[in-house]
Amino acid sequence: MSQATVEPTEQDVLHRLSFLDRFLPVWIIVAMAAGLGLGAVVPGLQGVLDAVKIGQVSLPIALGLLLMMYPVLAKVRYDRLDTVTRDRRTMVLSLVLNWVVGPALMFALAWLMLPDLPEYRTGLIIVGLARCIAMVIIWNDLACGDREAAAVLVALNSVFQVVMFGVLGWFYLDLLPGWLGLASETVSFSPWEIALSVVIFLGIPLAAGYLSRRVGERVRGRDWYEGTFLPRIGPIALYGLLFTIVVLFALQGETITSRPLDVARIALPLLVYFAVMWAGSYALGKAAGLSYSRTTTLAFTAAGNNFELAIAVAIGVFGVTSGQALAGVVGPLIEVPVLVALVYVSLWLRRRWTT
């Protein structure tokens, strides 16, 4: 890397984030407060929402979840999947970190730190199974990672999740606890419910995102699609997320206000998870001889999670008033500020990187 390269400053990082992304934790906290207030003034809200359902999920919530997922998946460059084999080290390391190490680490942390809270524990395990998608590209770009590699790994993870999420959900939520003698404390569920939720809330927006890119680029070109169309639909994901959070906290207000320490207990394993995954991935990339840009991409794609999918699956399988759904919502509240902080750490490491 040229020594003449201008190093981004902290101000550069903040200004390269959009206004909505920069204050995402603030919007989430405001949505939580709005939900608690709404639940207090509209006690019959759940009956209204349950008037029309798609499976076990009310129609308004289902639409919010689908809108939350679509813009994120419309950003993925699916045509780059065929380039993933060019750097086998990065590909193999990413797959192992995302689909072996990440879920196993979250499973261990959830059981160690939440042994007496099975619903929250299950929600955290679901977060660990929901691997990174398009939002991680933001953190990767800010930290001067390899954009091409990030696009490929995000596309790979997006497709891989449709196939593997249900399988890994069955393994970590049912099979493995039984092997370890922990089955008596697990929460009952059907693996098919998880698979169905993934098909609906990931499969449908994934197909829509893929078709949007194919049709948009063919008709108007990539510059228009990425420079005009994506910025227009991007905020829809945030609106869907905030709507879901408002509804969830409106329906869970009494539980949340009566047990405020539960949120802190959910946050602790998440903090440990993000720190360990990111630092471990950095160390592994360095040991494997990867460049700074590839190592940074490896670290952020391993540490980031698809919290939109985790929330959708938790609500689809366990319901909007479940502890699993609450644990999913705490995910982005912790992940966003932590990964922004890790961007600064990455840029500090970049100045000291030797290959």
Side-chain angles (χ1 to χ4, degrees), residues 31-237:
M32 290 176 175
L36 292 174
L38 182 64
V41 300
V42 187
L45 181 61
Q46 184 163 1
V48 175
L49 292 173
D50 287 344
V52 181
K53 286 188 172 184
I54 297 179
Q56 299 300 315
V57 184
S58 72
L59 179 59
I61 296 174
L63 291 176
L65 295 173
L66 290 171
L67 289 175
M68 181 172 65
M69 293 292 297
Y70 165 68
V72 177
L73 292 164
K75 295 179 181 178
V76 176
R77 291 185 176 182
Y78 299 95
D79 59 336
R80 303 295 176 85
L81 276 173
D82 60 348
T83 68
V84 75
T85 56
R86 293 180 183 175
D87 186 344
R88 294 190 177 182
R89 286 184 303 172
T90 302
M91 180 187 69
V92 171
L93 288 175
S94 180
L95 288 175
V96 170
L97 287 167
N98 272 290
W99 297 102
V100 179
V101 178
L105 175 62
M106 188 67 89
F107 174 87
L109 291 172
W111 274 98
L112 286 172
M113 297 185 178
L114 300 173
D116 57 329
L117 297 171
E119 289 191 1
Y120 299 150
R121 183 177 64 236
T122 299
L124 286 183
I125 293 172
I126 290 174
V127 171
L129 297 177
R131 308 314 303 164
C132 74
I133 54 172
M135 192 169 182
V136 77
I137 293 176
I138 296 174
W139 318 128
N140 180 73
D141 282 353
L142 292 173
C144 301
D146 188 320
R147 180 177 294 182
E148 181 76 12
V152 171
L153 293 177
V154 165
L156 183 65
N157 276 316
S158 299
V159 175
F160 206 66
Q161 281 185 89
V162 177
V163 179
M164 292 303 300
F165 195 103
V167 175
L168 290 176
W170 166 73
F171 177 77
Y172 281 104
L173 296 175
D174 188 14
L175 189 61
L176 186 57
W179 286 351
L180 300 175
L182 304 171
S184 61
E185 294 189 45
T186 58
V187 178
S188 61
F189 73 100
S190 167
W192 297 111
E193 291 178 323
I194 289 183
L196 179 61
S197 292
V198 172
V199 169
I200 294 174
F201 296 114
L202 179 60
I204 292 176
L206 179 64
Y210 174 77
L211 291 174
S212 294
R213 181 171 280 277
R214 286 294 300 272
V215 174
E217 290 188 356
R218 181 173 297 177
V219 175
R220 301 292 297 273
R222 174 161 289 184
D223 289 342
W224 172 87
Y225 182 84
E226 296 190 344
T228 302
F229 179 72
L230 289 182
R232 288 178 180 173
I233 67 170
I236 295 175

